Amino acid sequence: QLQASGGGLVQAGGSMRLSCTASGITENTFSGYSLGWFRQAPGKQRELVAGMSDSGMTHYPEDSVKGRFTISRDNSKNTVYLQMNSLKPEDTAVYYCNTDLGRGYYHVVVGQVGDWGQGTQVTVSS
């Protein structure tokens, strides 16, 4: 089970760090997962904004977040983080994390991931 937290209301230009902790699995299992942070804005499809393979490779498919968002993980805590800087109103969305269930990072990219947990709302005011 994945639980995202750390969202809230922030002014444009501000920063926020999201956390997502996986429960019910061991550290060894978690360390073998590729991870992704996704977001869904009202009226839009869910999109991958940052991913990290089990080996630590990072991937930011959305040009709009490159240089502003950073994904990281702490396997000892079964937790993945998303540091978001220079936030913009267009970053407003519900943010979710998910995993590839050990099947390979490609599955994160195409959205073939585990069950969706509760996301966390990020609202950026102008």
Side-chain angles (χ1 to χ4, degrees), residues 34-41 44-53 57-66 69 71 80-82 91 93-100 104-113 116:
S34 292
L35 306 166
W37 278 100
F38 301 78
R39 68 184 180 188
Q40 187 168 22
K44 295 187 177 181
Q45 288 190 331
R46 190 174 288 158
E47 62 182 3
L48 174 68
V49 295
M52 176 175 273
S53 70
M57 175 202 72
T58 58
H59 174 221
Y60 303 92
E62 291 294 322
D63 287 342
S64 65
V65 309
K66 289 179 180 177
F69 288 13
I71 186 172
V80 58
Y81 303 98
L82 184 67
D91 295 319
V94 179
Y95 284 71
Y96 304 84
C97 68
N98 217 316
T99 83
D100 67 338
Y105 182 69
Y106 169 77
H107 293 272
V108 173
V109 174
V110 298
Q112 294 173 352
V113 293
W116 292 100

Side-chain angles (χ1 to χ4, degrees), residues 16-85:
M16 187 174 285
R17 189 175 84 153
L18 306 182
S19 301
C20 181
T21 299
S23 60
I25 59 173
T26 66
E27 175 184 341
N28 188 56
T29 296
F30 182 82
S31 66
Y33 284 175
S34 292
L35 306 166
W37 278 100
F38 301 78
R39 68 184 180 188
Q40 187 168 22
K44 295 187 177 181
Q45 288 190 331
R46 190 174 288 158
E47 62 182 3
L48 174 68
V49 295
M52 176 175 273
S53 70
D54 59 337
S55 64
M57 175 202 72
T58 58
H59 174 221
Y60 303 92
E62 291 294 322
D63 287 342
S64 65
V65 309
K66 289 179 180 177
R68 300 191 298 121
F69 288 13
T70 303
I71 186 172
S72 61
R73 65 192 295 166
D74 185 341
N75 291 333
S76 70
K77 296 180 180 179
N78 280 14
T79 299
V80 58
Y81 303 98
L82 184 67
Q83 177 68 43
M84 305 185 294
N85 299 326

